[in-house]
Amino acid sequence: MNSAVSPFSGPADEEDALRALLALYLQTYEASEIRAAYRTLGSPRVEVDGLDEEIRSAILREYGSHGGAESDPRWAVERICAALPPPPDQGEQLRRATTALAAADLAPEPPVSCGEERGTGRGTFHLIRHRQGAVEVSTLGRFVCGNDGSDTFLWRWSNDHDVTAARAAFESAGFRWVDRDLGSIEVSGLSVYSFGRREPLSVGQLLFYWQS
């Protein structure tokens, strides 16, 4: 394996073994043998500072098998072997989000998908406008972000701007608020397509992904 172009950061023989497991899985789609071999290797995975297990699982479920040769193979093999929670019921989650905003007297508008909001494309969030701004609700889990209506990329919004009422409403309803610090963490080794390129994206870009 050419280490100059490989996204893998571990031993070369481990990379070869992982890519062989991926090739075998694509032939058989039988995970039990892959899981056994993965355990023998010590269940290697890409560790990302600041990335907790809940967010990691959501990202792994959605993107773990997407990167191909441009991603570290540990992501794809972990995706095959991990016991991941199911994705949330989007209808129920949006009802909870709207109820939380209404209870805080923020007068929410009906949720719209990111593709509908931007007139094209698809992604992993719905947008809800309200009296003080807007929030994005991820389709990947109980993750939300928001601003006061002045910025397109909501998770990048400065942590000290006035989103207090919306954040408090969501956290009281059991959601997790993704602020700039959390959203800016790069998920290394996992290449995801974004506007003509495949490259590692941040937590915010992945939880609130949009592609035209």
Side-chain angles (χ1 to χ4, degrees), residues 21 32 47 50 69 79 81 104 107 115-116 137 141 158 165 180 193 196 207:
L21 290 180
S32 58
E47 299 297 343
R79 174 65 178 83
C81 298
E116 181 181 355
V137 182
S158 179
R180 185 177 55 186
Y193 183 82
L207 294 180

Side-chain angles (χ1 to χ4, degrees), residues 146-162:
N147 66 18
D148 68 355
S150 305
D151 187 58
T152 301
F153 300 100
L154 302 193
W155 61 266
R156 290 178 178 163
W157 193 245
S158 179
N159 294 347
D160 58 2
H161 278 70
D162 187 13

Side-chain angles (χ1 to χ4, degrees), residues 100 104 106 163-174 177:
L106 291 175
V163 292
T164 304
R167 179 170 185 164
F170 276 106
E171 291 180 339
S172 294
W177 191 267

Side-chain angles (χ1 to χ4, degrees), residues 20-56:
L21 290 180
L22 289 175
L24 176 60
Y25 181 74
L26 290 175
Q27 291 177 8
T28 65
Y29 290 96
E30 175 51 58
S32 58
E33 184 177 354
I34 307 302
R35 292 190 183 103
Y38 183 58
R39 288 193 296 269
T40 299
L41 290 172
S43 303
R45 66 182 207 168
V46 180
E47 299 297 343
V48 178
D49 289 343
L51 188 67
D52 62 63
E53 289 302 316
E54 182 182 22
I55 294 177
R56 182 190 183 92

Side-chain angles (χ1 to χ4, degrees), residues 6 15 49 52 61 67 75 80 95 110 128 157 210-211:
S6 173
E15 179 179 12
D49 289 343
D52 62 63
R61 184 182 61 235
W75 283 110
I80 295 167
R95 283 190 290 274
I128 306 177
W157 193 245
W210 173 75
Q211 182 64 48

Side-chain angles (χ1 to χ4, degrees), residues 101-117:
L101 290 170
D105 196 28
L106 291 175
E109 297 179 9
V112 294
S113 70
C114 56
E116 181 181 355
E117 166 66 19

Side-chain angles (χ1 to χ4, degrees), residues 42-200:
S43 303
R45 66 182 207 168
V46 180
E47 299 297 343
V48 178
D49 289 343
L51 188 67
D52 62 63
E53 289 302 316
E54 182 182 22
I55 294 177
R56 182 190 183 92
S57 293
I59 290 172
L60 183 65
R61 184 182 61 235
E62 180 70 15
Y63 302 102
S65 59
H66 288 191
E70 295 169 306
S71 280
D72 189 313
R74 287 175 290 186
W75 283 110
V77 177
E78 183 185 356
R79 174 65 178 83
I80 295 167
C81 298
L84 298 172
D89 181 318
Q90 292 182 37
E92 175 60 26
Q93 183 158 272
L94 291 172
R95 283 190 290 274
R96 288 176 53 227
T98 302
T99 298
L101 290 170
D105 196 28
L106 291 175
E109 297 179 9
V112 294
S113 70
C114 56
E116 181 181 355
E117 166 66 19
R118 299 183 181 182
T120 185
R122 60 180 181 80
T124 62
F125 66 91
H126 290 82
L127 184 87
I128 306 177
R129 298 190 184 280
H130 59 83
R131 189 193 307 279
Q132 294 183 0
V135 292
E136 291 176 356
V137 182
S138 177
T139 64
L140 304 188
R142 60 187 186 104
F143 315 112
V144 295
C145 64
N147 66 18
D148 68 355
S150 305
D151 187 58
T152 301
F153 300 100
L154 302 193
W155 61 266
R156 290 178 178 163
W157 193 245
S158 179
N159 294 347
D160 58 2
H161 278 70
D162 187 13
V163 292
T164 304
R167 179 170 185 164
F170 276 106
E171 291 180 339
S172 294
F175 288 88
R176 287 189 61 182
W177 191 267
V178 178
D179 62 17
R180 185 177 55 186
D181 293 338
L182 178 56
S184 297
I185 295 171
E186 181 181 290
V187 182
S188 55
L190 182 62
S191 292
V192 175
Y193 183 82
S194 179
F195 298 100
R197 301 176 60 183
R198 282 194 176 274
E199 58 188 357

